[in-house]
Amino acid sequence: MRFELFIAARYLRARRRQAVVGFITVISIIGVAAGVASLIVALAITNGMRRDLQERLVGSTAHVMLMRTAGDGIHNWRPLMEKLAQMPHVQAVAPGLFGQVLISRGAHSGGALIKGIIPADELKVGDLLQSIKQGSADELEPTATAGNELAPPIVIGNDLAETLGATVGDALLVTSPQGELTPLGLVPRYQRFRVVGIFASGFYQYDSSYAFMRLSDSQRLFSEPDLISAMSFRIDDLYRAQEVGQTLEQAAGPGFQVTNWMEQNRELFRALKLEQVVTFIVLALIVVVAALNILIALTMMVMEKTRDIAVMMSFGVSADQIRRVFLFQGLLISSLGTVLGIVLGYAASVAGSHYSFIHLDPGVYSIDHLPFAPRIVDALIVAAVSLSMSLLATLYPSSSAARILPAEALRYE
């Protein structure tokens, strides 16, 4: 063991003539531990929220979506879909016809975004149909009598169902703004649909405004025979969505454009990242306060050990060695607090991720418990920040100790 480290450890273990110095040292260790543990837990929570939100978003939307630049729909879409399905990294593709409609039930009404789908294909690119809580999406499968049904099937979101006061089996009037031209002018097209399923994805934007129907039914409603408005793709690496999207756009030819899940939710993830940074900065102030306690404790220790310092310097110990003694002592205090904080914070985060002991109201937060996602890299970053702040706090007292003059310190001893 180095001489400086040996002396620093002895000073840390030694009994104090001034009890307040030992008390402040203990408070410094506890303060560092509390700051580090708080940071690790907070980062685990923000990581958990981001992970759950991303999983829900990616499950609810396609990784990549291809559409016409002019918004005139995709004609002769089947050969194109078969071609693009063979592109590298593409796992599944599904056609869809989107349209804004007004859905009403008696005196209740609400706007909705209709998506005409082929269920077997849609289930391969999104999970919304798998989140049905009431009823089933089985009736959305194409049937030979689909065009003859008086009330074709429709699946709506949970919040939209509450707005309409609808449940499974109820009839809804769906009105399309793309009307028919008659002698009396443009008359909106409308048709009655029967609710066969209600999904609850946990996202208000989907649960309050999304509805699914058969692709053939949506084409009749919007007077768009054998036309789709977009193709949805699921790829093998969702973080390569932009790169794969550009490849698909080039393969589709001129007049097409793509968007992906990252572009659609960029602002949301940017806000989550900002929240994580702000949380880190605010909670890092706890570590700053603990570092100030280390500064105070070392300053008082230098005052207490002035005679010892003078004696060591008179025996040939250099000023740099004295400076390192107190640098090591501050780092020992910080290291003890940091290790204790990492153990406590990581243990609490792991326990939270396994046992879900903090419950939330799913009606408000869309999740029933607070998610934790502890990461080793976060613990390393927090440890580096804690040790760096503590090192800065030791510079002044260690420099003060190195400037002590032995003759002046021992004059009155």
Side-chain angles (χ1 to χ4, degrees):
M1 182 181 293
R2 294 185 57 171
F3 165 75
E4 299 92 331
L5 184 58
F6 174 78
I7 297 298
R10 283 290 301 270
Y11 279 175
L12 200 60
R13 297 194 306 266
R15 291 186 175 181
R16 311 277 180 215
R17 292 194 298 269
Q18 298 179 8
V20 68
V21 178
F23 178 74
I24 293 177
T25 301
V26 173
I27 292 298
S28 300
I29 294 174
I30 295 175
V32 172
V36 169
S38 300
L39 272 173
I40 291 177
V41 171
L43 291 177
I45 292 174
T46 55
N47 289 332
M49 294 290 288
R50 180 185 179 89
R51 179 200 61 192
D52 281 17
L53 185 60
Q54 178 172 304
E55 289 177 354
R56 288 169 178 258
L57 281 173
V58 172
S60 301
T61 60
H63 295 169
V64 179
M65 187 171 291
L66 176 76
M67 61 196 72
R68 292 282 298 174
T69 305
D72 54 353
I74 304 175
H75 298 270
N76 197 24
W77 53 272
R78 289 181 179 84
L80 178 61
M81 191 172 78
E82 292 177 1
K83 172 187 174 182
L84 297 181
Q86 305 302 319
M87 298 293 294
H89 306 292
V90 174
Q91 292 183 323
V93 57
L97 179 59
F98 293 90
Q100 291 286 344
V101 298
L102 177 69
I103 301 182
S104 56
R105 179 179 179 270
H108 303 283
S109 62
L113 177 65
I114 289 290
K115 184 177 184 181
I117 61 169
I118 298 176
D121 293 335
E122 184 67 21
L123 287 169
K124 297 177 182 178
V125 300
D127 299 334
L128 281 181
L129 288 181
Q130 296 179 358
S131 62
I132 292 179
K133 304 302 181 183
Q134 301 178 40
S136 170
D138 293 342
E139 294 190 50
L140 292 183
E141 294 291 343
T143 63
T145 59
N148 300 323
E149 289 178 301
L150 296 178
I154 187 172
V155 174
I156 63 176
N158 180 65
D159 291 305
L160 180 58
E162 292 182 357
T163 301
L164 301 174
T167 186
V168 173
D170 289 342
L172 302 178
L173 184 65
V174 179
T175 304
S176 169
Q178 300 175 9
E180 295 179 336
L181 187 61
T182 69
L184 299 178
L186 189 65
V187 177
R189 291 179 60 86
Y190 61 88
Q191 185 174 358
R192 291 195 177 276
F193 285 80
R194 176 172 46 89
V195 179
V196 297
I198 297 176
F199 67 86
S201 67
F203 283 105
Y204 181 78
Q205 67 184 75
Y206 296 122
D207 295 344
S208 64
S209 61
Y210 253 55
F212 295 96
M213 63 176 61
R214 297 169 181 153
L215 179 60
S216 56
D217 293 334
S218 64
Q219 289 172 340
R220 279 189 294 273
L221 178 66
F222 300 128
S223 299
E224 300 286 2
D226 203 26
L227 175 143
I228 64 172
S229 54
M231 292 183 187
S232 302
F233 296 84
R234 180 171 290 270
I235 60 177
D236 56 5
D237 185 354
L238 59 92
Y239 294 104
R240 299 183 63 181
Q242 184 173 1
E243 174 189 341
V244 176
Q246 292 175 350
T247 303
L248 292 172
E249 183 177 325
Q250 293 174 358
F256 287 90
Q257 64 178 3
V258 296
T259 183
N260 58 66
W261 69 275
M262 290 184 288
E263 292 177 351
Q264 294 172 352
N265 302 286
R266 181 182 290 112
E267 297 302 325
L268 177 60
F269 286 107
R270 186 177 297 170
L272 286 176
K273 185 64 177 180
L274 178 61
E275 180 184 3
Q276 186 179 35
V277 172
V278 171
T279 301
F280 185 92
I281 293 174
V282 171
L283 292 180
L285 294 177
I286 301 176
V287 181
V288 173
V289 172
L292 293 177
N293 288 334
I294 294 176
L295 186 150
I296 295 172
L298 290 182
T299 301
M300 297 182 68
M301 197 173 297
V302 169
M303 297 171 60
E304 179 187 2
K305 300 297 183 181
T306 299
R307 185 180 64 178
D308 294 357
I309 295 170
V311 170
M312 286 190 291
M313 295 182 75
S314 65
F315 276 101
V317 177
S318 67
D320 287 340
Q321 288 178 304
I322 296 297
R323 182 181 294 108
R324 287 195 290 269
V325 166
F326 289 94
L327 283 174
F328 282 136
Q329 191 163 6
L331 288 177
L332 284 174
I333 295 173
S334 174
S335 298
L336 288 173
T338 300
V339 171
L340 180 61
I342 289 176
V343 171
L344 292 176
Y346 206 80
S349 300
V350 171
S353 64
H354 281 82
Y355 299 105
S356 305
F357 50 81
I358 302 180
H359 297 280
L360 302 175
D361 182 0
V364 177
Y365 299 100
S366 299
I367 51 178
D368 58 2
H369 67 277
L370 196 62
F372 289 80
R375 299 189 306 175
I376 295 294
V377 64
D378 289 335
L380 295 177
I381 292 174
V382 172
V385 170
S386 174
L387 293 175
S388 300
M389 290 183 177
S390 301
L391 178 62
L392 291 175
T394 63
L395 294 180
Y396 173 74
S398 60
S399 298
S400 299
R403 289 196 298 267
I404 291 177
L405 299 176
E408 294 294 330
L410 297 174
R411 175 178 296 177
Y412 301 105
E413 295 293 337

